């Protein structure tokens, strides 16, 4: 569950969400999907971001606060391993310091990491005789740490229209199906509407807490406490500020970071625009991908020029833009030379090492196709010494596609290489008959290589599907030229 889809200029890619990896990395003894491991000085960990301190005077006290009275119920649907249970314990402790009666329940099932967790908290000014579990229509506050969890019927049923307030993290955590099937990101709007339809729509708060807290603190562990700060400042947690701060201290873990994350959540409630502009000023602008320069590095200047020359032939700007993206994708298929180049790229090495407080070296987890054919079914762990052979391999890129390219004889590589010409011919046929009317269909055809993903067998299956889809769409495209009606 530490694999997260991320949208890049090259389409949707999978990234390892480092701060949520298993703490002891015991999983990495198996077939960790990462291509590299970073060895670090024992006892050290991820580099911590310098805390973006807010002076205490910056955030005023909440203007009004809910009352615990005879019972104030909070339900917190979230994801295991992100501190949901900790937040519940923290609120319970703070309420107890305030002298309130408290009952808690954490439904964790078998989820330790990545699964559904639901925390229940009941605060009261009088001794509690009711169960801690928040039941049908009796939630006062839904702390929506996980949007999918909030939108689950069993949790929505705890809400009462016009009464329950929802404070929801709008981030959509990818499910295992999203990751496995590489399904595109789904829009969360339907879930917002579902939440609004059963709660006090006018008071609900939707916050992109993952984006904000991770950008501010560099760790997903700050997200839930940030969201708690938002709910607190909205007057939805009937506990004094002093007790909240004392409970954070008693929790004893990352005290200053948690205190700051809570305060930044409060600040966000007060002045979201200020927090957003603070972050915008802090975040470096990513340079956009220079495809021509990359192609030069991939092979040589002539290879890059052939890309430029082909694009120059396409007059229609929208089509040229799409072809620029997918021709580049096909021209940079990841063979042995390219993998060696990418793994030893200075920017990549800087980034991989720069995440850690005291990095020592990089080692590699690879599964070369050549060895796969000899029955090696697991990744090989190759130490930092392997950087030298990788650098040598990278320099041999000039052999790519020549008779001396021993890797290029593999059927898979031949297929990958042939896709470049296949795509050019496909686009030639499309652009030769392009009109404003058939442009949308032309773009649908041009974007098909987006579906070519994965390695080896999976990639080959995807290529077969893409070729089939291209043939069908091209047929329709040509029929429209001949005046044959488009099938619906
Ligand atoms: S297997 Fe690898 S990516 Fe997955 S949690 Fe472990 S270290 Fe992280």
């Amino acid at each position: 569950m530490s694999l997260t889809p991320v949208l890049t200029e090259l389409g949707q890619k999978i990234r390892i969400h480092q701060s949520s990896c298993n703490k002891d990395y015991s999983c990495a003894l198996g077939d960790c999907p990462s291509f590299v491991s970073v060895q670090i000085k024992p006892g050290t960990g991820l580099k911590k971001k310098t805390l973006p301190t807010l002076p205490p005077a910056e955030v005023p006290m909440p203007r009004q606060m809910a009352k615990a009275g005879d019972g104030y119920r909070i339900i917190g649907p979230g994801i295991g391993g992100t501190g949901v249970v900790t937040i519940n314990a923290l609120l319970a402790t703070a309420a107890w310091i305030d002298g309130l009666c408290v009952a808690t329940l954490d439904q964790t099932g078998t989820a330790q990491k990545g699964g559904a967790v639901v925390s229940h908290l009941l605060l009261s000014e009088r001794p509690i005789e009711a169960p801690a579990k928040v039941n049908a229509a009796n939630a006062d506050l839904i702390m929506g740490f996980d949007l999918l969890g909030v939108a689950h019927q069993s949790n929505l049923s705890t809400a009462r229209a016009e009464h329950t307030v929802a404070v929801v993290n709008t981030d959509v955590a990818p499910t295992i199906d999203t990751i496995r099937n590489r399904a595109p990101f789904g829009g969360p709007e339907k879930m917002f509407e579902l939440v609004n339809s059963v709660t006090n729509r006018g008071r609900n708060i939707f916050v992109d807490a993952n984006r904000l807290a991770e950008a501010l603190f560099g760790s997903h562990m700050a997200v839930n406490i940030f969201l708690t700060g938002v709910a607190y400042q909205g007057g939805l947690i009937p506990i004094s500020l002093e007790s909240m701060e004392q409970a954070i201290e008693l929790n004893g873990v990352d005290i200053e970071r948690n205190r700051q994350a809570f305060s930044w959540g409060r600040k966000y409630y007060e002045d979201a625009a200020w927090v957003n502009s603070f972050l915008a000023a802090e975040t470096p602008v990513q340079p956009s991908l220079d495809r021509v320069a990359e192609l030069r590095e991939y092979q040589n200047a002539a290879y890059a020029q052939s890309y430029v020359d082909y694009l120059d032939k396409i007059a229609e700007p929208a089509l040229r833009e799409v072809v620029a993206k997918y021709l580049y994708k096909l021209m940079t298929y990841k063979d042995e030379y390219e993998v060696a180049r990418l793994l030893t790229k200075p920017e990549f090495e800087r980034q991989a090492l720069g995440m850690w407080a005291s990095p020592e070296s990089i080692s590699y987890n690879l599964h070369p196709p050549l060895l796969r054919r000899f029955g090696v079914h697991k990744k090989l762990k190759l130490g930092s010494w392997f950087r030298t052979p990788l650098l040598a391999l990278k320099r041999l890129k000039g052999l790519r596609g020549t008779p001396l390219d021993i890797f290029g004889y593999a059927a898979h590589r031949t297929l990958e290489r042939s896709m470049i010409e296949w795509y050019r011919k496909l686009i030639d046929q499309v652009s030769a008959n392009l009109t404003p009317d058939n442009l949308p269909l032309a773009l649908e055809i041009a974007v098909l290589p987006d579906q070519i993903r994965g390695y080896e067998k999976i990639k080959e299956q995807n290529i077969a599907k893409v070729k089939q889809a291209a043939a069908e769409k091209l047929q329709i495209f040509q029929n429209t030229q001949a005046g044959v009606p488009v099938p619906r």
Side-chain angles (χ1 to χ4, degrees):
M1 292 306 294
S2 289
L3 300 181
T4 43
V6 52
L7 288 173
T8 72
E9 277 188 75
L10 300 172
Q12 186 171 310
K13 300 277 174 192
I14 297 290
R15 174 179 60 191
I16 291 185
H17 186 250
Q18 194 66 64
S19 79
S20 70
C21 276
N22 281 358
K23 240 182 165 158
D24 62 1
Y25 297 104
S26 53
C27 47
L29 296 172
D31 244 8
C32 170
S34 174
F35 293 111
V36 297
S37 298
V38 179
Q39 277 68 47
I40 57 172
K41 205 166 157 209
T44 64
L46 281 167
K47 192 185 270 174
K48 291 202 168 164
K49 255 189 118 203
T50 318
L51 292 182
T53 310
L54 263 182
E58 280 278 330
V59 193
M61 289 303 292
R63 278 167 285 281
Q64 55 178 22
M65 184 56 87
K67 296 260 180 289
D70 288 338
Y72 187 86
R73 292 172 170 82
I74 303 174
I75 182 167
I79 300 174
T82 63
V84 179
V85 173
T86 306
I87 296 286
N88 208 27
L90 201 135
L91 292 177
T93 308
W96 173 77
I97 296 170
D98 265 353
L100 294 174
C101 300
V102 183
T104 70
L105 171 72
D106 295 308
Q107 294 179 296
T108 56
T110 53
Q112 291 177 9
K113 185 183 169 210
V117 170
V118 185
S119 283
H120 304 252
L121 179 66
L122 170 54
L123 309 176
S124 172
E125 289 169 9
R126 281 165 269 288
I128 293 172
E129 287 172 7
K133 190 167 186 294
V134 181
N135 289 313
N138 70 357
D140 294 289
L141 170 63
I142 297 177
M143 288 281 290
F145 300 119
D146 170 42
L147 181 58
L148 285 177
V150 178
H152 194 277
Q153 188 44 42
S154 61
N155 296 323
L156 282 181
S157 69
T158 64
R160 190 156 83 244
E162 307 303 323
H163 173 79
T164 309
V165 180
V167 179
V168 180
N169 180 359
T170 57
D171 182 71
V172 185
T175 62
I176 194 70
D177 287 340
T178 323
I179 295 168
R180 280 209 184 113
N181 305 331
R182 307 195 68 144
F185 292 127
E189 292 74 18
K190 272 194 186 148
M191 287 184 272
F192 298 163
E193 192 39 48
L194 208 57
V195 175
N196 278 333
S197 67
V198 295
T199 52
N200 189 344
R201 162 188 302 267
R203 291 194 67 199
N204 289 345
I205 308 169
F206 293 89
V207 187
D208 190 357
N210 275 57
R211 178 184 66 82
L212 294 158
E214 291 203 24
L216 284 165
F217 298 96
S219 165
H220 76 303
M221 293 309 281
V223 174
N224 290 347
I225 186 88
F226 176 90
L227 194 74
T228 307
V230 175
Y232 187 86
Q233 196 64 18
L236 297 163
I237 299 178
I239 297 172
S240 71
L241 187 59
E242 297 70 37
S243 298
M244 285 297 299
E245 287 183 341
Q246 217 179 319
I248 289 172
E249 211 166 313
L250 283 171
N251 181 44
V253 179
D254 244 340
I255 298 170
E256 197 43 40
R257 185 169 302 257
N258 284 336
R259 214 196 307 255
Q260 288 292 334
F262 182 68
S263 299
W264 276 86
R266 293 179 54 218
K267 175 73 181 172
Y268 184 80
Y269 178 88
E270 287 295 324
D271 194 349
W274 187 89
V275 174
N276 277 322
S277 59
F278 173 90
L279 276 177
E282 290 271 296
T283 315
V285 179
Q286 289 293 330
S288 60
L289 179 72
D290 183 344
R291 295 191 178 108
V292 177
E294 282 293 311
L295 283 166
R296 226 176 281 130
E297 288 298 309
Y298 180 91
Q299 185 74 22
N300 54 32
Y303 195 64
Q305 192 57 44
S306 73
Y307 171 78
V308 175
D309 292 345
Y310 187 80
L311 293 181
D312 282 348
K313 288 198 308 184
I314 305 173
E316 205 325 295
L319 183 65
R320 188 170 55 235
E321 196 181 315
V322 175
V323 174
K325 190 168 168 185
Y326 294 106
L327 180 59
Y328 174 81
K329 175 180 166 143
L330 294 174
M331 287 180 77
T332 52
Y333 61 92
K334 291 194 186 69
D335 59 5
E336 286 72 3
Y337 313 107
E338 178 63 355
V339 169
R341 181 180 84 90
L342 293 175
L343 289 179
T344 53
K345 230 178 160 185
E347 302 91 291
F348 171 73
E349 290 179 336
R350 253 198 314 276
Q351 195 191 2
L353 294 169
M355 295 170 77
W356 303 91
S358 297
E360 289 184 333
S361 61
I362 293 181
S363 60
Y364 306 90
N365 314 316
L366 298 174
H367 197 178
L370 211 60
L371 296 185
R372 207 172 296 178
R373 258 167 246 127
F374 290 108
V376 178
H377 292 304
K378 289 197 78 177
K379 277 188 172 180
L380 294 180
K381 292 187 190 306
L382 301 153
S384 53
W385 60 269
F386 194 64
R387 187 170 184 271
T388 310
L390 282 176
L391 286 171
L393 192 57
K394 175 184 121 172
R395 284 186 208 108
L396 291 176
K397 66 180 182 182
L399 299 181
R400 179 186 284 127
T402 70
L404 293 176
D405 178 7
I406 50 162
F407 306 110
Y409 288 106
H412 183 75
R413 292 280 174 260
T414 315
L415 176 65
E416 284 180 315
R417 219 175 16 249
S418 71
M419 290 306 290
I420 303 168
E421 208 35 46
W422 170 84
Y423 187 61
R424 285 180 170 156
K425 283 194 177 136
L426 178 73
I427 298 302
D428 284 346
Q429 293 177 71
V430 169
S431 40
N433 300 299
L434 199 62
T435 65
D437 288 343
N438 64 21
L439 179 62
L441 185 55
L443 296 178
E444 272 182 44
I445 294 171
V447 90
L448 283 170
D450 188 49
Q451 302 304 318
I452 302 176
R453 293 165 177 172
Y455 290 89
E456 299 277 307
K457 284 274 166 290
I458 295 170
K459 186 169 183 179
E460 285 165 21
Q461 285 161 8
N462 287 333
I463 287 178
K465 282 186 204 156
V466 162
K467 282 187 166 178
Q468 170 77 27
E472 286 166 13
K473 284 183 189 291
L474 193 62
Q475 186 66 57
I476 299 172
F477 188 83
Q478 283 162 348
N479 285 347
T480 53
Q481 301 304 125
V484 179
V486 178
R488 294 194 184 276

Short mmCIF file of all heavy atoms in Angstrom, two decimals, residues 2 16 21-22 25 27 32-33 113, ligand 1:
data_model
loop_
_atom_site.label_atom_id
_atom_site.label_comp_id
_atom_site.label_asym_id
_atom_site.label_seq_id
_atom_site.Cartn_x
_atom_site.Cartn_y
_atom_site.Cartn_z
N SER A 2 2.18 1.09 -0.08
CA SER A 2 3.01 2.30 -0.19
C SER A 2 3.28 2.64 -1.65
O SER A 2 4.15 3.46 -1.94
CB SER A 2 4.33 2.11 0.56
OG SER A 2 4.08 2.13 1.93
N ILE A 16 6.84 5.20 -4.97
CA ILE A 16 6.85 4.65 -3.62
C ILE A 16 6.71 5.80 -2.64
O ILE A 16 7.50 6.75 -2.67
CB ILE A 16 8.12 3.83 -3.37
CG1 ILE A 16 8.01 2.58 -4.25
CG2 ILE A 16 8.27 3.47 -1.90
CD1 ILE A 16 9.04 1.58 -4.13
N CYS A 21 6.22 3.67 4.11
CA CYS A 21 6.77 2.30 4.03
C CYS A 21 6.82 1.69 5.44
O CYS A 21 6.90 2.42 6.43
CB CYS A 21 8.20 2.33 3.47
SG CYS A 21 8.24 2.36 1.68
N ASN A 22 6.79 0.36 5.50
CA ASN A 22 6.88 -0.30 6.80
C ASN A 22 8.10 0.21 7.55
O ASN A 22 9.18 0.32 6.98
CB ASN A 22 7.02 -1.82 6.61
CG ASN A 22 5.68 -2.44 6.31
OD1 ASN A 22 4.67 -1.76 6.28
ND2 ASN A 22 5.69 -3.73 6.09
N TYR A 25 11.19 -1.98 7.53
CA TYR A 25 11.60 -2.40 6.18
C TYR A 25 11.79 -3.91 6.05
O TYR A 25 12.49 -4.39 5.17
CB TYR A 25 12.88 -1.66 5.72
CG TYR A 25 12.65 -0.18 5.62
CD1 TYR A 25 13.13 0.69 6.58
CD2 TYR A 25 11.88 0.35 4.59
CE1 TYR A 25 12.87 2.04 6.52
CE2 TYR A 25 11.62 1.70 4.51
CZ TYR A 25 12.11 2.55 5.48
OH TYR A 25 11.85 3.89 5.41
N CYS A 27 9.73 -5.89 5.01
CA CYS A 27 9.12 -6.25 3.73
C CYS A 27 10.13 -6.19 2.60
O CYS A 27 10.01 -6.90 1.60
CB CYS A 27 7.96 -5.30 3.44
SG CYS A 27 8.43 -3.58 3.71
N CYS A 32 10.56 -6.22 -2.89
CA CYS A 32 10.11 -4.82 -2.83
C CYS A 32 10.07 -4.26 -4.25
O CYS A 32 11.00 -4.46 -5.03
CB CYS A 32 11.08 -4.02 -1.96
SG CYS A 32 10.79 -2.24 -2.03
N PRO A 33 8.97 -3.56 -4.61
CA PRO A 33 8.89 -3.05 -5.98
C PRO A 33 9.90 -1.95 -6.31
O PRO A 33 10.08 -1.60 -7.46
CB PRO A 33 7.46 -2.52 -6.08
CG PRO A 33 6.97 -2.42 -4.69
CD PRO A 33 7.78 -3.31 -3.81
N LYS A 113 -2.02 -1.67 8.42
CA LYS A 113 -1.54 -0.66 7.49
C LYS A 113 -2.36 -0.72 6.21
O LYS A 113 -2.48 -1.79 5.62
CB LYS A 113 -0.08 -0.94 7.18
CG LYS A 113 0.54 0.10 6.34
CD LYS A 113 1.95 -0.26 6.00
CE LYS A 113 2.39 0.73 4.93
NZ LYS A 113 3.33 0.18 4.04
S1 LIG B 1 7.90 -3.56 0.12
FE1 LIG B 1 9.19 -1.80 -0.39
S2 LIG B 1 7.71 -0.25 -1.11
FE2 LIG B 1 6.53 -1.77 0.02
S3 LIG B 1 6.42 -0.95 2.13
FE3 LIG B 1 8.18 -2.35 2.02
S4 LIG B 1 9.95 -1.02 1.60
FE4 LIG B 1 8.07 0.15 1.08
#
